[in-house]
């Protein structure tokens, strides 16, 4: 689920950028660049990440490591940050921190929460469409307010964790339409430095496009060739990639309790 996980995070970040009161302050997993942007102001910020995933199944699963039903946890941090100037070793440094909650900050948080949910749910922008193409359904959603564990002071931050059922990780040689749409948008967005990532993703996804059908089935089921052959699924004798040579001329088939059978 590695490529699907990455594309969902990228799609969410790009879909939210400049579509909420956070403007372009939308980050993937961290906001390390934020302190230098704040000075005597408060700013709404969104941080998006994928925290964990789950692929339920049994030991005798119907599928291997690809093509499995997958649930990821989408983590969205909605934050109102403030900036102050501190003097450190004679130099002025901008320090960012979460604002302490008040009525104004509370209103900003509620607006931001509504906006990011609406963008990912109904926006018709290309990145929002990619996001919804990769996400099949939403499950349980939890949110919590941030607070200082020592003082109990509540901060102007809300953390939302949403379970999302997502598109199966593509089988080797397969590029589903939502994945292709995401790759095309990444290729078009040179400023974000996605170029090398796209090239690697395409190489990984394209591997196996020329495989025989039995090899694609093997990738789906996660079986070795002997077990695949025992199920009658391949490899077939006419496959170029066969692992056992054909019977030699003049071979004799011997079965216990039966007469010899010659070709």
């Amino acid at each position: 689920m590695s490529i699907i996980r990455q594309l969902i995070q990228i799609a969410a970040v790009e879909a939210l950028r400049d579509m909420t009161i956070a403007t372009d302050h939308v980050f993937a997993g961290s906001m390390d660049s934020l302190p230098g942007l704040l000075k005597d102001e408060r700013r709404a910020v969104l941080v998006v990440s994928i925290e964990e995933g789950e692929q339920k199944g049994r030991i005798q699963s119907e599928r291997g490591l690809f093509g499995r039903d997958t649930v990821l946890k989408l983590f969205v941090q909605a934050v109102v940050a403030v900036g102050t100037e501190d003097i450190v070793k004679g130099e002025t440094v901008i320090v960012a921190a979460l604002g302490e909650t008040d009525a104004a900050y509370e209103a900003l948080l509620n607006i931001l929460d509504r906006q990011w949910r609406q963008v990912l749910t109904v926006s018709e922008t290309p990145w929002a469409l990619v996001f919804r193409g990769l996400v099949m359904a939403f499950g349980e959603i939890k949110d919590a307010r941030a607070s200082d564990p020592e003082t109990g002071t509540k901060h102007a931050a809300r953390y939302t964790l949403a379970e999302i059922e997502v598109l199966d990780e593509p089988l080797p040689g397969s590029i589903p339409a939502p994945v292709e749409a995401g790759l095309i948008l990444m290729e078009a967005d040179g400023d974000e430095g996605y170029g090398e990532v796209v090239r690697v993703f395409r190489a990984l996804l394209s591997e196996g496009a020329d495989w025989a059908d039995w090899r694609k089935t093997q990738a789906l089921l996660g079986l070795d060739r002997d077990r695949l052959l025992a199920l009658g699924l391949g490899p077939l004798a006419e496959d170029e990639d066969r692992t056992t040579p054909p019977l030699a001329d003049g071979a004799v088939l011997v079965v216990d309790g039966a007469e010899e059978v010659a070709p």
Side-chain angles (χ1 to χ4, degrees), residues 209-247:
D210 58 348
W211 287 356
D213 288 343
W214 68 265
R215 286 204 67 190
K216 295 177 181 178
T217 302
Q218 181 186 28
L220 175 63
L221 300 179
L223 300 176
D224 61 26
R225 295 189 182 192
D226 289 340
R227 284 189 289 171
L228 200 66
L229 184 60
L231 292 173
L233 299 175
L236 304 177
E238 60 267 25
D239 288 329
E240 294 182 1
D241 197 19
R242 61 179 179 262
T243 57
T244 56
L247 293 175

Side-chain angles (χ1 to χ4, degrees), residues 172-184:
S174 159
I175 306 182
V179 174
E180 176 64 23
L183 295 179
I184 290 173

Side-chain angles (χ1 to χ4, degrees), residues 51-65:
E51 291 302 305
E52 59 183 81
E54 184 175 13
Q55 294 177 308
K56 293 183 178 180
R58 298 171 289 114
I59 293 178
Q60 297 298 325
S61 176
E62 296 178 351
R63 285 176 282 184
L65 297 178

Side-chain angles (χ1 to χ4, degrees), residues 11-77:
V13 168
E14 296 296 343
L16 292 170
R17 185 163 285 137
D18 293 321
M19 294 293 287
T20 72
I21 58 173
T23 62
D24 64 341
H25 289 73
V26 184
F27 301 89
S30 68
M31 50 181 179
D32 295 338
S33 62
L34 184 63
L37 300 176
L38 295 173
K39 181 180 178 181
D40 298 328
E41 64 176 320
R42 62 186 179 188
R43 184 174 293 279
V45 177
L46 286 171
V47 182
V48 181
S49 61
I50 303 294
E51 291 302 305
E52 59 183 81
E54 184 175 13
Q55 294 177 308
K56 293 183 178 180
R58 298 171 289 114
I59 293 178
Q60 297 298 325
S61 176
E62 296 178 351
R63 285 176 282 184
L65 297 178
F66 292 105
R68 297 176 63 93
D69 295 338
T70 302
V71 174
L72 299 177
K73 291 191 176 179
L74 176 71
F75 189 44
V76 179
Q77 302 173 64

